[in-house]
Amino acid sequence: MLKQAKGNIVILTGAGISKESGLSTFRDPDGIWAEVNIDEVATPEGFSHNPAKVHEFYNARRERLLSGNVLPNSAHFALARLEAQWNASVLVITQNVDNLHEKAGTRNILHMHGELTKARCTTCGIVLIWRKALSRNDICGSCTSTGSLRPHVVWFGENPLNMHKIQTALKDAAVFVSIGTSGHVYPAASFISQLKSQKEVMTVELNLEPSANAPLFEYSTYGEATKIVPAFVHGLLESQ
Ligand code: APR
């Protein structure tokens, strides 16, 4: 398979790539959505109804991410190596709001669902780096309004970020790799069918188990990301 791989690589990642770094996924039996009510903490309605509860949910995840105990794993590092050594472009499109791809050295990255380490002002729209707890008492550093800051995370019912750049990248992709995502959330889950109908492109799924979209992928390998992703990247780099 890997012998034919050449050209631009687009990689879609989900929570599964960060699981072995100690971050929970969403839909596994021990996942985040088994612990909290999505409507209460991951929708605009939930935020307007009880902002303190939503801030508490993201503050706990941000604190854990920045605690020093959550580090990139060998799958994140393998993708950074691929970007550095591949003879065409490598773009990571991540659904994750953690910063582990960047900490592993990935530079060419688009976050579809926002980032835990950023806050956005609902008054002036500015996006700020935010690495501490966020609350209604915080003041926007740009427009100085109080209580207008929210997590810069995309909630259900909101538009994902960077979609124009993502569509452009998908059009130029020669290889599409989906890693650690269950394929349940759109529009990320639609990329594979878009690519299948669009043009000749090598499609690969690397996941712990077959995702909802598994039948659409040309190639697949199942197992833990820290094992199958470095092996896959090694094979790609050896083949060029
Ligand atoms: N290695 C590889 N894959 C793994 C591992 C692992 N160690 N552990 C779990 N997985 C796989 C699971 O089998 C599952 O298919 O990762 C996937 C995680 O799926 P979800 O929990 O649904 O996470 P994700 O697909 O990223 O969710 C997409 O949904 O709730 C929203 O905004 C949230 O970005 C998230 C989006």
Side-chain angles (χ1 to χ4, degrees):
M1 157 210 4
L2 297 173
K3 282 261 166 288
Q4 300 98 33
K6 51 180 178 303
N8 297 338
I9 301 177
V10 172
I11 301 163
L12 173 69
T13 64
I17 199 169
S18 298
K19 178 77 182 290
E20 292 161 89
S21 293
L23 293 180
S24 299
T25 60
F26 291 94
R27 293 170 185 81
D28 286 329
D30 61 346
I32 293 173
W33 298 145
E35 321 242 312
V36 291
N37 177 328
I38 290 183
D39 295 332
E40 290 176 359
V41 297
T43 62
E45 298 74 15
F47 186 60
S48 55
H49 176 68
N50 187 343
K53 186 181 184 83
V54 175
H55 280 311
E56 189 190 331
F57 173 64
Y58 288 97
N59 287 345
R61 291 175 66 195
R62 187 180 307 106
E63 187 182 2
R64 170 130 180 73
L65 176 65
L66 300 179
S67 65
N69 302 321
V70 175
L71 301 170
N73 63 52
S74 54
H76 297 105
F77 285 113
L79 297 187
R81 204 165 42 251
L82 182 62
E83 177 185 328
Q85 298 174 23
W86 186 247
N87 54 20
S89 95
V90 175
L91 169 68
V92 171
I93 299 169
T94 189
Q95 300 172 90
N96 300 340
V97 292
D98 65 55
N99 58 357
L100 298 180
H101 282 301
E102 293 91 335
K103 288 179 84 170
T106 287
R107 292 286 164 269
N108 195 17
I109 184 167
L110 293 172
H111 282 266
M112 289 185 71
H113 295 164
E115 298 172 70
L116 268 181
T117 56
K118 293 181 179 172
R120 185 169 78 241
C121 179
T122 55
T123 303
C124 70
I126 194 165
V127 175
L128 306 165
I129 301 289
W130 202 273
R131 299 175 63 86
K132 56 187 184 191
L134 183 59
S135 81
R136 302 276 287 166
N137 305 322
D138 286 301
I139 296 168
C140 172
S142 173
C143 70
T144 71
S145 54
T146 304
S148 60
L149 293 173
R150 60 165 275 184
H152 183 52
V153 172
V154 177
W155 289 327
F156 287 95
E158 295 185 321
N159 294 323
L161 306 172
N162 299 307
M163 285 309 292
H164 181 69
K165 288 182 187 166
I166 287 169
Q167 285 302 330
T168 304
L170 289 174
K171 285 190 176 50
D172 296 337
V175 182
F176 177 70
V177 190
S178 177
I179 303 174
T181 182
S182 61
H184 283 299
V185 174
Y186 287 78
S190 66
F191 294 163
I192 176 63
S193 33
Q194 174 185 335
L195 283 165
K196 298 291 281 184
S197 60
Q198 182 183 303
K199 66 179 173 82
E200 260 311 294
V201 58
M202 176 187 281
T203 56
V204 185
E205 175 167 82
L206 304 177
N207 208 50
L208 189 65
E209 61 201 5
S211 73
N213 286 319
L216 295 175
F217 287 89
E218 211 176 343
Y219 303 100
S220 53
T221 306
Y222 297 112
E224 291 183 316
T226 55
K227 295 183 183 52
I228 62 176
V229 176
F232 176 73
V233 166
H234 177 75
L236 272 181
L237 292 175
E238 285 293 295
S239 74
Q240 67 173 351

